[in-house]
Structure formats: C-alpha cells, structure tokens
Amino acid sequence: MNNTGTSQGTALEVVTRYLEALAVGDSQAMDACRAADYVLDLIHRDAFEQGALSHQETRAFWPSWFASFPDMDLQVVRTIAAETVVVTQWVFMGTNDGPLTEPVFDREIEPTGKTIRFRGVSIYDVQEGLIQRETLYMDLVTLFVELGVTL
C-alpha cells in the first residue's frame, strides 16, 4: 500500500514507473513509488560508517544528482524481475554541469563540464506495490576517471 492506501501494481510495474520518472528527473513521481520506510543503499558509501540513506535523505539525493547532470540519459539494458525483487542493469550518460555535493558524495566536486558514461546495477525490493529498498551499485572508478577527479 502507498501513503494513500492504494496498491500501485506489480514489482515490475512499480520499478518501471520509478525508472521512467528517474529518466526525466521527476523526484516527486519517484517519491510516489517509494514506501515511507524506504532506504537507498549506495554501495559506494561505507555501509559500516554511514549506512543506507533514509527516505528523507533520498529526497535530497536525487534532486542533487539531477542538478549535477541536467541532461542525463539513463538506459536500462537488462531487467530481471521476480514477485518482490527487480534487478536492472543500466548505462548512465550525462554532462556534469553542476557540483556533486552531499548526499551524493562526502566532499563537493566542482562541475567539470565533461560528459561521462558509466554502468551500474540497481536492485529494488518491492512490497505491497512500493519500493522498500534500492541497492545501487555504481561504477565510481569510471565516473571519477571520466570527470578527472582525484581522490
């Protein structure tokens, strides 16, 4: 059930709506697909130090990401769906025209103006028509190399 108490469809249908909203940078539509106790587990973060982002923190993550890459293009190249889990493999491309800040990264990275491309995998756990957990594996090495960022 969502916040209004209505079911939002199968796991695949919910994740498809979520990815369509992500592809156009629609944070509100993405939020409508997430449960109140949703968490975003960014694998590039230290799980023992920082843990997953809460639903509230995620509401800041995606708008920050969209501002960093306003022309972004996300192409899903493979999807595996079960009753309560959907896995997507994707390719991201975008021009870094805004700073990368928290909660995306721990330190601010100034915009480079470079167009980047990297791959990743997302795992969505879906219950009662809403995404409960998103585990996001991003190819950060390629991201940093293409941006010219040194650690």
Side-chain angles (χ1 to χ4, degrees), residues 95-149:
T95 303
N96 179 220
D97 285 334
L100 288 159
T101 60
E102 286 192 59
V104 176
F105 292 109
D106 295 335
R107 67 179 176 100
E108 184 170 323
I109 299 171
E110 291 298 319
T112 64
K114 294 181 179 181
T115 300
I116 62 162
R117 182 181 167 159
F118 66 93
R119 300 182 314 157
V121 171
S122 296
I123 302 170
Y124 302 92
D125 295 303
V126 181
Q127 294 290 325
E128 299 179 3
L130 292 169
I131 301 169
Q132 303 290 320
R133 179 180 197 89
E134 178 179 356
T135 305
L136 179 60
Y137 295 84
M138 295 181 3
D139 180 0
L140 286 184
V141 171
T142 299
L143 173 66
F144 285 148
V145 168
E146 289 193 13
L147 288 176
V149 172

